Amino acid sequence: MGVIAIYIVNVARCAGISYLIIYYPQYSEFAHHYIFAFVVYAFIITLWLFYSNKVTLHVKADQ
């Protein structure tokens, strides 16, 4: 499920960058390098935190 979610976020990122290039080209470089990179990294870190908490809770329940 996480891989599919990351794929969807990446497609949305590409669509957003394309939109900015077409309609607001002056903001596209900044958005590509900072805003969209932050959003994707934050999403991946959030997924990792949810996964690691889930695994930790599952291990604690087995003990």
Side-chain angles (χ1 to χ4, degrees):
M1 294 301 291
V3 173
I4 295 169
I6 292 170
Y7 180 78
I8 292 169
V9 168
N10 195 42
V11 169
R13 179 189 70 88
C14 292
I17 291 171
S18 298
Y19 179 82
L20 286 175
I21 289 172
I22 293 169
Y23 295 106
Y24 303 100
Q26 68 272 21
Y27 301 121
S28 62
E29 283 294 316
F30 177 79
H32 178 262
H33 290 290
Y34 298 105
I35 296 172
F36 287 115
F38 174 77
V39 169
V40 170
Y41 290 142
F43 183 75
I44 290 171
I45 290 169
T46 302
L47 279 178
W48 176 73
L49 288 172
F50 280 126
Y51 173 76
S52 63
N53 285 335
K54 183 179 177 180
V55 169
T56 303
L57 291 175
H58 182 67
V59 169
K60 287 181 181 179
D62 288 343
Q63 291 178 352

PDB file of all heavy atoms in Angstrom, residues 40-58:
ATOM      1  N   VAL A  40       6.963  15.617  -0.799  1.00  0.00           N
ATOM      2  CA  VAL A  40       7.230  14.197  -1.047  1.00  0.00           C
ATOM      3  C   VAL A  40       8.047  13.594   0.099  1.00  0.00           C
ATOM      4  O   VAL A  40       7.720  12.517   0.591  1.00  0.00           O
ATOM      5  CB  VAL A  40       7.936  14.003  -2.407  1.00  0.00           C
ATOM      6  CG1 VAL A  40       8.431  12.582  -2.574  1.00  0.00           C
ATOM      7  CG2 VAL A  40       6.988  14.371  -3.538  1.00  0.00           C
ATOM      8  N   TYR A  41       9.093  14.274   0.530  1.00  0.00           N
ATOM      9  CA  TYR A  41       9.900  13.746   1.631  1.00  0.00           C
ATOM     10  C   TYR A  41       9.088  13.652   2.922  1.00  0.00           C
ATOM     11  O   TYR A  41       9.199  12.677   3.666  1.00  0.00           O
ATOM     12  CB  TYR A  41      11.155  14.589   1.863  1.00  0.00           C
ATOM     13  CG  TYR A  41      12.180  14.461   0.773  1.00  0.00           C
ATOM     14  CD1 TYR A  41      12.915  15.555   0.354  1.00  0.00           C
ATOM     15  CD2 TYR A  41      12.421  13.246   0.153  1.00  0.00           C
ATOM     16  CE1 TYR A  41      13.869  15.443  -0.646  1.00  0.00           C
ATOM     17  CE2 TYR A  41      13.360  13.121  -0.847  1.00  0.00           C
ATOM     18  CZ  TYR A  41      14.085  14.221  -1.247  1.00  0.00           C
ATOM     19  OH  TYR A  41      15.017  14.105  -2.227  1.00  0.00           O
ATOM     20  N   ALA A  42       8.270  14.652   3.197  1.00  0.00           N
ATOM     21  CA  ALA A  42       7.433  14.615   4.399  1.00  0.00           C
ATOM     22  C   ALA A  42       6.449  13.450   4.336  1.00  0.00           C
ATOM     23  O   ALA A  42       6.216  12.768   5.340  1.00  0.00           O
ATOM     24  CB  ALA A  42       6.681  15.935   4.558  1.00  0.00           C
ATOM     25  N   PHE A  43       5.890  13.196   3.169  1.00  0.00           N
ATOM     26  CA  PHE A  43       4.960  12.081   3.011  1.00  0.00           C
ATOM     27  C   PHE A  43       5.666  10.745   3.225  1.00  0.00           C
ATOM     28  O   PHE A  43       5.155   9.873   3.936  1.00  0.00           O
ATOM     29  CB  PHE A  43       4.326  12.127   1.617  1.00  0.00           C
ATOM     30  CG  PHE A  43       3.308  11.060   1.392  1.00  0.00           C
ATOM     31  CD1 PHE A  43       2.054  11.151   1.979  1.00  0.00           C
ATOM     32  CD2 PHE A  43       3.584   9.951   0.607  1.00  0.00           C
ATOM     33  CE1 PHE A  43       1.107  10.156   1.782  1.00  0.00           C
ATOM     34  CE2 PHE A  43       2.649   8.958   0.411  1.00  0.00           C
ATOM     35  CZ  PHE A  43       1.405   9.063   1.004  1.00  0.00           C
ATOM     36  N   ILE A  44       6.839  10.584   2.667  1.00  0.00           N
ATOM     37  CA  ILE A  44       7.584   9.329   2.821  1.00  0.00           C
ATOM     38  C   ILE A  44       8.001   9.122   4.273  1.00  0.00           C
ATOM     39  O   ILE A  44       7.888   8.016   4.812  1.00  0.00           O
ATOM     40  CB  ILE A  44       8.800   9.309   1.878  1.00  0.00           C
ATOM     41  CG1 ILE A  44       8.320   9.191   0.424  1.00  0.00           C
ATOM     42  CG2 ILE A  44       9.748   8.162   2.220  1.00  0.00           C
ATOM     43  CD1 ILE A  44       9.404   9.368  -0.602  1.00  0.00           C
ATOM     44  N   ILE A  45       8.443  10.170   4.940  1.00  0.00           N
ATOM     45  CA  ILE A  45       8.822  10.048   6.347  1.00  0.00           C
ATOM     46  C   ILE A  45       7.607   9.708   7.205  1.00  0.00           C
ATOM     47  O   ILE A  45       7.686   8.878   8.115  1.00  0.00           O
ATOM     48  CB  ILE A  45       9.512  11.335   6.833  1.00  0.00           C
ATOM     49  CG1 ILE A  45      10.889  11.442   6.177  1.00  0.00           C
ATOM     50  CG2 ILE A  45       9.631  11.377   8.345  1.00  0.00           C
ATOM     51  CD1 ILE A  45      11.566  12.785   6.360  1.00  0.00           C
ATOM     52  N   THR A  46       6.464  10.321   6.900  1.00  0.00           N
ATOM     53  CA  THR A  46       5.235  10.016   7.636  1.00  0.00           C
ATOM     54  C   THR A  46       4.838   8.556   7.450  1.00  0.00           C
ATOM     55  O   THR A  46       4.470   7.882   8.420  1.00  0.00           O
ATOM     56  CB  THR A  46       4.097  10.940   7.179  1.00  0.00           C
ATOM     57  OG1 THR A  46       4.507  12.293   7.386  1.00  0.00           O
ATOM     58  CG2 THR A  46       2.825  10.671   7.948  1.00  0.00           C
ATOM     59  N   LEU A  47       4.909   8.062   6.222  1.00  0.00           N
ATOM     60  CA  LEU A  47       4.615   6.645   5.985  1.00  0.00           C
ATOM     61  C   LEU A  47       5.563   5.752   6.767  1.00  0.00           C
ATOM     62  O   LEU A  47       5.146   4.745   7.349  1.00  0.00           O
ATOM     63  CB  LEU A  47       4.728   6.315   4.496  1.00  0.00           C
ATOM     64  CG  LEU A  47       3.556   6.656   3.618  1.00  0.00           C
ATOM     65  CD1 LEU A  47       3.877   6.286   2.170  1.00  0.00           C
ATOM     66  CD2 LEU A  47       2.311   5.937   4.051  1.00  0.00           C
ATOM     67  N   TRP A  48       6.841   6.103   6.788  1.00  0.00           N
ATOM     68  CA  TRP A  48       7.820   5.303   7.510  1.00  0.00           C
ATOM     69  C   TRP A  48       7.520   5.299   9.010  1.00  0.00           C
ATOM     70  O   TRP A  48       7.620   4.259   9.668  1.00  0.00           O
ATOM     71  CB  TRP A  48       9.223   5.831   7.235  1.00  0.00           C
ATOM     72  CG  TRP A  48      10.264   5.115   8.020  1.00  0.00           C
ATOM     73  CD1 TRP A  48      10.731   3.855   7.816  1.00  0.00           C
ATOM     74  CD2 TRP A  48      10.942   5.610   9.179  1.00  0.00           C
ATOM     75  NE1 TRP A  48      11.665   3.545   8.773  1.00  0.00           N
ATOM     76  CE2 TRP A  48      11.809   4.608   9.610  1.00  0.00           C
ATOM     77  CE3 TRP A  48      10.892   6.808   9.867  1.00  0.00           C
ATOM     78  CZ2 TRP A  48      12.626   4.771  10.711  1.00  0.00           C
ATOM     79  CZ3 TRP A  48      11.702   6.971  10.961  1.00  0.00           C
ATOM     80  CH2 TRP A  48      12.562   5.959  11.375  1.00  0.00           C
ATOM     81  N   LEU A  49       7.143   6.458   9.552  1.00  0.00           N
ATOM     82  CA  LEU A  49       6.820   6.525  10.973  1.00  0.00           C
ATOM     83  C   LEU A  49       5.596   5.670  11.315  1.00  0.00           C
ATOM     84  O   LEU A  49       5.589   4.969  12.325  1.00  0.00           O
ATOM     85  CB  LEU A  49       6.588   7.972  11.401  1.00  0.00           C
ATOM     86  CG  LEU A  49       7.844   8.839  11.468  1.00  0.00           C
ATOM     87  CD1 LEU A  49       7.462  10.286  11.715  1.00  0.00           C
ATOM     88  CD2 LEU A  49       8.791   8.328  12.538  1.00  0.00           C
ATOM     89  N   PHE A  50       4.557   5.741  10.490  1.00  0.00           N
ATOM     90  CA  PHE A  50       3.390   4.893  10.716  1.00  0.00           C
ATOM     91  C   PHE A  50       3.764   3.415  10.664  1.00  0.00           C
ATOM     92  O   PHE A  50       3.344   2.620  11.500  1.00  0.00           O
ATOM     93  CB  PHE A  50       2.284   5.180   9.695  1.00  0.00           C
ATOM     94  CG  PHE A  50       1.470   6.387  10.018  1.00  0.00           C
ATOM     95  CD1 PHE A  50       1.310   7.385   9.084  1.00  0.00           C
ATOM     96  CD2 PHE A  50       0.848   6.535  11.253  1.00  0.00           C
ATOM     97  CE1 PHE A  50       0.554   8.503   9.360  1.00  0.00           C
ATOM     98  CE2 PHE A  50       0.094   7.649  11.539  1.00  0.00           C
ATOM     99  CZ  PHE A  50      -0.053   8.641  10.587  1.00  0.00           C
ATOM    100  N   TYR A  51       4.582   3.045   9.682  1.00  0.00           N
ATOM    101  CA  TYR A  51       4.994   1.651   9.548  1.00  0.00           C
ATOM    102  C   TYR A  51       5.829   1.209  10.749  1.00  0.00           C
ATOM    103  O   TYR A  51       5.602   0.139  11.312  1.00  0.00           O
ATOM    104  CB  TYR A  51       5.787   1.458   8.262  1.00  0.00           C
ATOM    105  CG  TYR A  51       6.375   0.081   8.141  1.00  0.00           C
ATOM    106  CD1 TYR A  51       5.571  -1.005   7.810  1.00  0.00           C
ATOM    107  CD2 TYR A  51       7.723  -0.148   8.369  1.00  0.00           C
ATOM    108  CE1 TYR A  51       6.106  -2.274   7.712  1.00  0.00           C
ATOM    109  CE2 TYR A  51       8.256  -1.415   8.277  1.00  0.00           C
ATOM    110  CZ  TYR A  51       7.447  -2.475   7.947  1.00  0.00           C
ATOM    111  OH  TYR A  51       7.991  -3.722   7.863  1.00  0.00           O
ATOM    112  N   SER A  52       6.795   2.032  11.154  1.00  0.00           N
ATOM    113  CA  SER A  52       7.660   1.623  12.266  1.00  0.00           C
ATOM    114  C   SER A  52       6.870   1.545  13.576  1.00  0.00           C
ATOM    115  O   SER A  52       7.136   0.660  14.394  1.00  0.00           O
ATOM    116  CB  SER A  52       8.843   2.576  12.405  1.00  0.00           C
ATOM    117  OG  SER A  52       8.410   3.875  12.729  1.00  0.00           O
ATOM    118  N   ASN A  53       5.917   2.432  13.778  1.00  0.00           N
ATOM    119  CA  ASN A  53       5.072   2.342  14.970  1.00  0.00           C
ATOM    120  C   ASN A  53       4.200   1.101  14.936  1.00  0.00           C
ATOM    121  O   ASN A  53       3.996   0.445  15.955  1.00  0.00           O
ATOM    122  CB  ASN A  53       4.201   3.587  15.117  1.00  0.00           C
ATOM    123  CG  ASN A  53       4.983   4.775  15.594  1.00  0.00           C
ATOM    124  OD1 ASN A  53       6.011   4.639  16.243  1.00  0.00           O
ATOM    125  ND2 ASN A  53       4.518   5.953  15.243  1.00  0.00           N
ATOM    126  N   LYS A  54       3.686   0.758  13.783  1.00  0.00           N
ATOM    127  CA  LYS A  54       2.853  -0.431  13.646  1.00  0.00           C
ATOM    128  C   LYS A  54       3.658  -1.699  13.934  1.00  0.00           C
ATOM    129  O   LYS A  54       3.196  -2.580  14.654  1.00  0.00           O
ATOM    130  CB  LYS A  54       2.257  -0.492  12.238  1.00  0.00           C
ATOM    131  CG  LYS A  54       1.329  -1.639  12.026  1.00  0.00           C
ATOM    132  CD  LYS A  54       0.760  -1.600  10.618  1.00  0.00           C
ATOM    133  CE  LYS A  54      -0.134  -2.798  10.378  1.00  0.00           C
ATOM    134  NZ  LYS A  54      -0.704  -2.793   9.027  1.00  0.00           N
ATOM    135  N   VAL A  55       4.873  -1.766  13.412  1.00  0.00           N
ATOM    136  CA  VAL A  55       5.714  -2.933  13.639  1.00  0.00           C
ATOM    137  C   VAL A  55       6.103  -3.016  15.114  1.00  0.00           C
ATOM    138  O   VAL A  55       6.080  -4.092  15.700  1.00  0.00           O
ATOM    139  CB  VAL A  55       6.972  -2.882  12.734  1.00  0.00           C
ATOM    140  CG1 VAL A  55       7.985  -3.926  13.139  1.00  0.00           C
ATOM    141  CG2 VAL A  55       6.569  -3.060  11.279  1.00  0.00           C
ATOM    142  N   THR A  56       6.446  -1.879  15.712  1.00  0.00           N
ATOM    143  CA  THR A  56       6.831  -1.857  17.119  1.00  0.00           C
ATOM    144  C   THR A  56       5.674  -2.294  18.004  1.00  0.00           C
ATOM    145  O   THR A  56       5.865  -3.080  18.936  1.00  0.00           O
ATOM    146  CB  THR A  56       7.301  -0.449  17.531  1.00  0.00           C
ATOM    147  OG1 THR A  56       8.376  -0.065  16.679  1.00  0.00           O
ATOM    148  CG2 THR A  56       7.761  -0.415  18.963  1.00  0.00           C
ATOM    149  N   LEU A  57       4.482  -1.815  17.738  1.00  0.00           N
ATOM    150  CA  LEU A  57       3.316  -2.220  18.535  1.00  0.00           C
ATOM    151  C   LEU A  57       3.028  -3.703  18.350  1.00  0.00           C
ATOM    152  O   LEU A  57       2.649  -4.388  19.296  1.00  0.00           O
ATOM    153  CB  LEU A  57       2.099  -1.393  18.137  1.00  0.00           C
ATOM    154  CG  LEU A  57       2.138   0.094  18.518  1.00  0.00           C
ATOM    155  CD1 LEU A  57       0.928   0.809  17.948  1.00  0.00           C
ATOM    156  CD2 LEU A  57       2.225   0.264  20.019  1.00  0.00           C
ATOM    157  N   HIS A  58       3.224  -4.204  17.149  1.00  0.00           N
ATOM    158  CA  HIS A  58       2.973  -5.627  16.876  1.00  0.00           C
ATOM    159  C   HIS A  58       3.998  -6.496  17.630  1.00  0.00           C
ATOM    160  O   HIS A  58       3.640  -7.518  18.189  1.00  0.00           O
ATOM    161  CB  HIS A  58       3.050  -5.892  15.372  1.00  0.00           C
ATOM    162  CG  HIS A  58       2.755  -7.303  15.009  1.00  0.00           C
ATOM    163  ND1 HIS A  58       1.502  -7.855  15.163  1.00  0.00           N
ATOM    164  CD2 HIS A  58       3.542  -8.281  14.505  1.00  0.00           C
ATOM    165  CE1 HIS A  58       1.527  -9.114  14.768  1.00  0.00           C
ATOM    166  NE2 HIS A  58       2.758  -9.397  14.365  1.00  0.00           N
TER     167      HIS A  58
END
